[in-house]
Structures are given as C-alpha cells and as structure tokens.
Amino acid sequence: MRTHIYLGGMPGVKRTRPAPSVPTICRALADPTRLALLARIGRDEVCVCDLQSWVGRDQPTVSRHLAMLRRGGLVVVRKEGRWCHYSRRPLPPPLMAMVDLAAPPVRRPRRDGCCG
C-alpha cells in the first residue's frame, strides 16, 4: 500500500497524490547534477539562482533537475514573487549518507545578490 503526500492548496481542502514509486526516486537520484543539488539544498531553503551558481548550469537546466527531484518527493518548493526557494524533505539517514557520498564536487557559488 502506497502512502500519500499532502499537496496543500485551498484552506480546508486536502489534495493528495500517491507517494513516488521506488523507480521514480531512483531516477531522481541517478544524475550527478541532481545529487549535487540535493546535497547543496541540505536543511536550508535555497533559491534557484544560488543553485545555478553552485552547479555551474543555466537556469532551465537547473529547473528541469529540480522538477525531477520534486517528482521523486525529495524536495519541496516555495514561491515568493518570481523566485522559487527549495528545501529538502526529511530523508532517512542511510539515503542521506548515500547522497552525501555520491554528490560530486561542485564550484562554489558567487554571491551577486540576484534574489536576496
């Protein structure tokens, strides 16, 4: 039996969808860039522009990778105006250890104040 994820929405109305399947989660973790993004997000809320700098990729590429992580149930997004801020869902310790070990080294971000 699969569990469901609360999607939020209108006050008083609960919408749910099936939890991601194991293959969906595995696909989300199967790319070095997605692993780097997931490791960078950590427990903090991070803006997409910071993630772009962190992995050295353009915004559309980073957004596609983040969408895959969302489909895998690994991150959540909060929109503030035109900016999207991502945070990681709590992960089981063995999965988090695997992410930390598998995350490739990435370039350090530059701070250009794009959204903050």
Side-chain angles (χ1 to χ4, degrees):
M1 178 177 195
R2 294 170 65 175
T3 59
H4 286 72
I5 296 173
Y6 174 66
L7 295 176
M10 296 174 49
V13 177
K14 290 186 178 182
R15 297 182 322 159
T16 60
R17 68 170 182 200
S21 65
V22 172
T24 301
I25 294 168
C26 290
R27 276 192 298 274
L29 294 172
D31 183 273
T33 300
R34 287 192 289 273
L35 285 171
L37 290 169
L38 195 58
R40 169 62 183 99
I41 293 170
R43 291 182 176 85
D44 299 325
E45 190 172 69
V46 183
C47 180
V48 173
C49 60
D50 290 332
L51 294 171
Q52 280 178 246
S53 299
W54 186 263
V55 296
R57 303 289 176 114
D58 61 2
Q59 183 272 325
T61 300
V62 171
S63 291
R64 281 193 303 274
H65 284 299
L66 289 168
M68 180 65 90
L69 291 172
R70 275 194 324 268
R71 282 192 298 275
L74 301 169
V75 297
V76 292
V77 63
R78 179 182 65 83
K79 291 190 176 194
E80 184 176 314
R82 53 183 253 205
W83 304 110
C84 292
H85 301 272
Y86 285 83
S87 56
R88 188 170 64 202
R89 288 189 185 277
L91 301 175
L95 181 56
M96 196 58 249
M98 183 179 73
V99 168
D100 289 339
L101 286 172
V106 292
R107 295 187 303 151
R108 295 287 176 220
R110 65 180 197 279
R111 293 298 304 168
D112 56 7
C114 59
C115 65

